[in-house]
Amino acid sequence: MSNWKKDHLGASSSEPLKVIIIGNGPSGICLSYLLSGYTPYVKPDAVHPHPLLQRKLAEAQGVSILDQDLDYLSEGLEGRCQSPVALLFDALLRPDTDFGGDTESVLTWKLQKERAIPHVVLGRNLPGGAWHSIEGSMVTLSQGQWMGLPDLEVKDWMRRKRRGLRNSRATAGDIAHYYRDYVNKKGLGQSFVSGAVVTAVERGIPEPSDSGARDPSPLFQVSGFLTAEDQSQQPFSLRAHNVVLATGTSDSPARLGVPGETLPFVHHELSALEAAIGAGTVTPDSDPVLIIGAGLSAADAVLYARHYNIPVIHAFRRPVDDPGLVFNQLPKMLYPEYHKVHQMMREQSILSPSPYEGYRSLPEHRLLLFTEHRQALFQDPQGLQKVFGLSLVLVLIGSHPDLSFLPGAGAHLAVDPDQPVSAKRNPIDVEPFTYQSTQQEGLYALGPLAGDNFVRFVQGGALAVASSLLRKEAGKPP
């Protein structure tokens, strides 16, 4: 990695790269693995439990999945994802997992270095991306086995580390360590640059070819800075034929837009509560912590505060029995702690006596403002206003991707170009079997940016991108 930095970062005259991947979370890691020459084949003796898929796989024995027709292979597959190629790769890696089975993958992996495509992965954090920013003891939403990347199962890695899964789930700290370890074990580290912040991605002028004519495909110019261990910043400027956006969505917390939201006691990340408890500025004897939101991040904050006996006021705009609440979509057996929070939200209403000391919920309440005296003014469903004194506020109502390095924050790339990019409501519009932008040739999007919101399914997008790039290298249509 250091050699790559020395040779390329800041050297704007260097040869253009084939691919730059922006983001080093699970999406970026998986794509780097596929671009490093690791090639998936169906095991000669494997029999897939899905009869139609098995028949199609048998038609092309000995041909890499990357070289097959992903549209044809994925036709007829159904599952918990809208992306057909994500369902395909998941079915190959975990054939019957949705039915509670543990049939091993039908794939075998071969390292074929002649197929590798030179690339670099730029990330703000260590490999693993935002997983390094999550409180380490938090348990993952997905089952541990669904957090794994190709050819290194999480359960096998944890067994070697003498760690165990809790109710089939792993901690965020274990998963962050697993992703960093994966990069090392698979020999991908030379392509990864940590501490890299991208500030601009622009379409440059076409490159002159050997004949003197302009290449019809202009290059991308990727600019930013690298933060060193001594916190100094070194600018860089790179050129590439293809750019892959894999930055996830946790960069920019969503805001309420109410007066007082910028006051110093109002925060938008759980880490603020961790720091306050660690510093002793929030204790069981303090005024309550206000947690705003009805998703899993807010539930994590409630659980964290309760663990330290911190009094909590939990406010949210939806009714507790709203079927759209995520708690109503999670099996109780797998997620008992989240269902406990949902039960508290229902039973601990301000309108009813609280059997759980130190917790009060405010369903269907709208926050009007914060005051500099650490107070919050709410309006209840009947229009009455209420004031609460607080020690700290956590606004946990989701997040947006930070695509400020793109013109117009990338809105022109979205399904609805008149709205900002949103993982759940307005993802980047990509071709379903290449994940290339429908608006910009050579620009790809992966993971939540393309609407794939679980690690289990982001890997199919990486397969699609790798297949497209390999076809470009071979001079075939992408």
Side-chain angles (χ1 to χ4, degrees):
M1 187 163 66
S2 58
N3 288 339
W4 192 93
K5 289 180 188 177
K6 183 173 66 179
D7 295 343
H8 293 271
L9 283 180
S12 57
S13 61
S14 64
E15 279 295 304
L17 290 154
K18 294 289 184 184
V19 185
I20 292 176
I21 303 168
I22 303 175
N24 62 359
S27 302
I29 295 172
C30 186
L31 179 56
S32 177
Y33 177 74
L34 294 168
L35 296 183
S36 297
Y38 288 96
T39 308
Y41 292 85
V42 175
K43 296 173 184 173
D45 57 345
V47 177
H48 198 282
H50 191 292
L52 179 59
L53 180 56
Q54 170 58 29
R55 179 174 63 77
K56 293 177 180 179
L57 294 172
E59 293 171 359
Q61 290 183 350
V63 180
S64 164
I65 298 296
L66 287 168
D67 298 325
Q68 295 191 42
D69 184 340
L70 301 181
D71 187 351
Y72 174 66
L73 286 179
S74 60
E75 186 180 3
L77 294 177
E78 297 178 349
R80 305 184 186 185
C81 178
Q82 297 298 312
S83 165
V85 72
L87 290 174
L88 169 64
F89 204 27
D90 185 62
L92 296 172
L93 292 169
R94 291 169 282 269
D96 60 353
T97 189
D98 278 339
F99 301 99
D102 57 357
T103 301
E104 66 177 30
S105 172
V106 299
L107 297 179
T108 184
W109 294 86
K110 298 178 182 179
L111 178 55
Q112 299 174 318
K113 293 187 177 180
E114 69 279 6
R115 294 172 62 101
I117 297 178
H119 64 282
V120 64
V121 184
L122 303 175
R124 294 170 179 260
N125 298 315
L126 294 168
W131 285 93
H132 291 284
S133 304
I134 301 173
E135 203 281 319
S137 65
M138 292 293 178
V139 178
T140 61
L141 174 62
S142 296
Q143 293 187 45
Q145 64 184 12
W146 293 348
M147 306 302 295
L149 297 176
D151 203 31
L152 181 61
E153 290 198 25
V154 168
K155 63 181 180 181
D156 294 336
W157 177 86
M158 293 190 72
R159 191 179 300 119
R160 287 196 289 271
K161 296 290 181 181
R162 296 186 178 180
R163 301 280 294 164
L165 295 173
R166 195 173 105 195
N167 202 14
S168 299
R169 293 149 68 203
T171 67
D174 282 333
I175 294 302
H177 187 187
Y178 163 84
Y179 291 139
R180 192 172 60 185
D181 220 25
Y182 185 92
V183 169
N184 293 330
K185 287 184 179 297
K186 299 300 182 183
L188 311 179
Q190 62 186 12
S191 299
F192 279 71
V193 179
S194 299
V197 176
V198 173
T199 56
V201 175
E202 299 167 310
R203 198 69 153 148
I205 59 173
E207 276 283 285
S209 66
D210 294 337
S211 63
R214 292 275 182 190
D215 185 327
S217 300
L219 295 172
F220 290 94
Q221 190 88 23
V222 179
S223 307
F225 60 86
L226 183 70
T227 303
E229 290 183 6
D230 62 1
Q231 299 306 304
S232 63
Q233 294 181 350
Q234 173 191 355
F236 66 80
S237 182
L238 304 168
R239 295 176 301 156
H241 294 280
N242 302 280
V243 169
V244 182
L245 305 175
T247 55
T249 64
S250 59
D251 291 318
S252 181
R255 297 179 182 272
L256 293 164
V258 300
E261 193 169 4
T262 58
L263 289 168
F265 63 92
V266 181
H267 304 273
H268 297 80
E269 295 178 347
L270 176 58
S271 57
L273 178 59
E274 299 167 22
I277 292 175
T281 55
V282 171
T283 71
D285 298 322
S286 301
D287 283 337
V289 168
L290 172 63
I291 297 170
I292 300 176
L296 297 179
S297 295
D300 283 337
V302 170
L303 291 167
Y304 191 84
R306 296 283 293 167
H307 178 74
Y308 289 97
N309 296 316
I310 305 298
V312 169
I313 295 175
H314 184 192
F316 42 96
R317 287 189 288 189
R318 295 187 184 188
V320 290
D321 55 356
D322 187 327
L325 284 181
V326 68
F327 307 103
N328 293 317
Q329 303 165 27
L330 299 176
K332 289 186 179 181
M333 291 294 290
L334 277 180
Y335 305 99
E337 73 279 30
Y338 288 134
H339 281 279
K340 182 65 174 179
V341 173
H342 191 207
Q343 179 184 352
M344 290 165 61
M345 290 165 65
R346 182 183 295 111
E347 297 179 359
Q348 310 312 104
S349 166
I350 190 173
L351 302 175
S352 60
S354 176
Y356 299 96
E357 187 178 353
Y359 175 90
R360 170 187 288 181
S361 76
L362 306 180
E364 300 180 78
H365 277 60
R366 185 166 69 92
L367 181 72
L368 301 178
L369 58 86
F370 297 109
T371 76
E372 58 187 19
H373 302 296
R374 292 182 181 263
Q375 293 177 321
L377 176 63
F378 281 94
Q379 182 173 295
D380 72 10
Q382 287 72 44
L384 297 176
Q385 294 186 357
K386 304 169 184 174
V387 177
F388 297 94
L390 311 162
S391 61
L392 187 110
V393 177
L394 293 179
V395 179
L396 301 172
I397 55 173
S399 58
H400 302 297
D402 180 4
L403 297 177
S404 57
F405 54 82
L406 293 174
H412 65 292
L413 303 172
V415 172
D416 181 354
D418 295 326
Q419 299 294 325
V421 174
S422 164
K424 293 182 179 178
R425 290 177 292 278
N426 194 32
I428 291 177
D429 194 14
V430 296
E431 299 289 349
F433 298 101
T434 65
Y435 276 58
Q436 185 168 230
S437 165
T438 59
Q439 303 299 317
Q440 180 77 76
E441 184 181 354
L443 186 67
Y444 296 81
L446 275 182
L449 292 178
D452 297 334
N453 290 296
F454 291 97
V455 173
R456 174 183 171 188
F457 295 119
V458 302
Q459 299 169 56
L463 180 76
V465 174
S467 176
S468 172
L469 293 171
L470 284 165
R471 294 180 76 82
K472 283 185 180 181
E473 284 292 288
K476 300 176 182 178

